[in-house]
Amino acid sequence: EAQVTQNPRYLITVTGKKLTVTCSQNMNHEYMSWYRQDPGLGLRQIYYSMNVEVTDKGDVPEGYKVSRKEKRNFPLILESPSPNQTSLYFCASSLGFAGDTQYFGPGTRLTVL
Amino acid sequence: AQSVTQLGSHVSVSEGALVLLRCNYSSSVPPYLFWYVQYPNQGLQLLLKYTTGATLVKGINGFEAEFKKSETSFHLTKPSAHMSDAAEYFCAVSPTDSWGKLQFGAGTQVVVTP
């Protein structure tokens, strides 16, 4: 089944404890992206990647890191999480051309205490 | 810089009534336009999109949207609401010269009453 998977689905952590949220897609998509969803703000793009080893900032990159060492995986790294990073995170992927449809993962709900 | 505005954070419609969700964008060049739907506790899925060509776009589940350049709008409609349409709907835009960026509106929660 074609899908985008994220792990973990739920995570409660404490301020300053490094964490990684994994994202994997099995559709051989070139493009991948991370978003955070907050009430009243919709989804805001954190980082995106057009291809392996190519990443770029979205609208809210501060406090996050990403890497794209292989096409199928695009992990999101929070090196020193803070409470304002408590949010619902979505990973998405697409074939990689202008106007293409993005396919979303099920989401990761992160709470930083 | 572009922006996306969705009018109304919550919309209540009766089953069988028209669903109308408004989306306006601000951009010097018309962007690619999308409507996504999010059902409870799920990720987003595409309803429809406009990239080029016919300005009236038909999507899944009986939804359609019309791109009006003069009004910088991309409103979403469905003639007859069904209980299963209860969800949150997001309008999104992507600039044609930097298509990797996708910007979402704040979302509209649709409640369908019997």
Side-chain angles (χ1 to χ4, degrees), chain A residues 9 31 35 37 40-43 45 48 50 57-59 88 90 96-102 104-106, chain B residues 32 34 36 38 41-46 49 51 88 90 94 96 98-107:
Chain A
R9 293 290 313 280
Y31 174 96
Y35 301 88
Q37 183 178 14
L41 297 178
L43 280 81
Q45 192 171 35
Y48 63 96
M50 299 284 209
K57 295 177 181 179
D59 292 325
L88 180 58
F90 288 100
F97 57 86
D100 195 13
T101 301
Q102 293 195 23
F104 285 78
Chain B
Y32 299 119
F34 306 81
Y36 282 86
Q38 184 180 31
N41 300 313
Q42 294 186 28
L44 281 72
Q45 66 181 86
L46 183 75
K49 64 180 178 182
T51 55
E88 189 157 21
F90 294 94
S94 177
T96 55
S98 179
W99 61 265
K101 293 191 171 223
L102 187 63
Q103 188 164 22
F104 284 83

Side-chain angles (χ1 to χ4, degrees), chain B residues 30-67:
Chain B
Y32 299 119
L33 297 155
F34 306 81
W35 276 100
Y36 282 86
V37 61
Q38 184 180 31
Y39 297 105
N41 300 313
Q42 294 186 28
L44 281 72
Q45 66 181 86
L46 183 75
L47 271 178
L48 48 77
K49 64 180 178 182
Y50 172 79
T51 55
T52 187
T55 56
L56 181 62
V57 180
K58 294 188 185 301
I60 62 171
N61 301 337
F63 285 92
E64 63 181 37
E66 186 171 12
F67 166 55

Side-chain angles (χ1 to χ4, degrees), chain A residues 33-67:
Chain A
S33 183
W34 275 103
Y35 301 88
R36 61 178 288 175
Q37 183 178 14
D38 301 289
L41 297 178
L43 280 81
R44 293 177 292 167
Q45 192 171 35
I46 304 171
Y47 272 95
Y48 63 96
S49 170
M50 299 284 209
N51 209 331
V52 175
E53 303 291 2
V54 179
T55 63
D56 209 345
K57 295 177 181 179
D59 292 325
V60 289
E62 296 77 20
Y64 303 95
K65 283 179 56 177
V66 293
S67 69

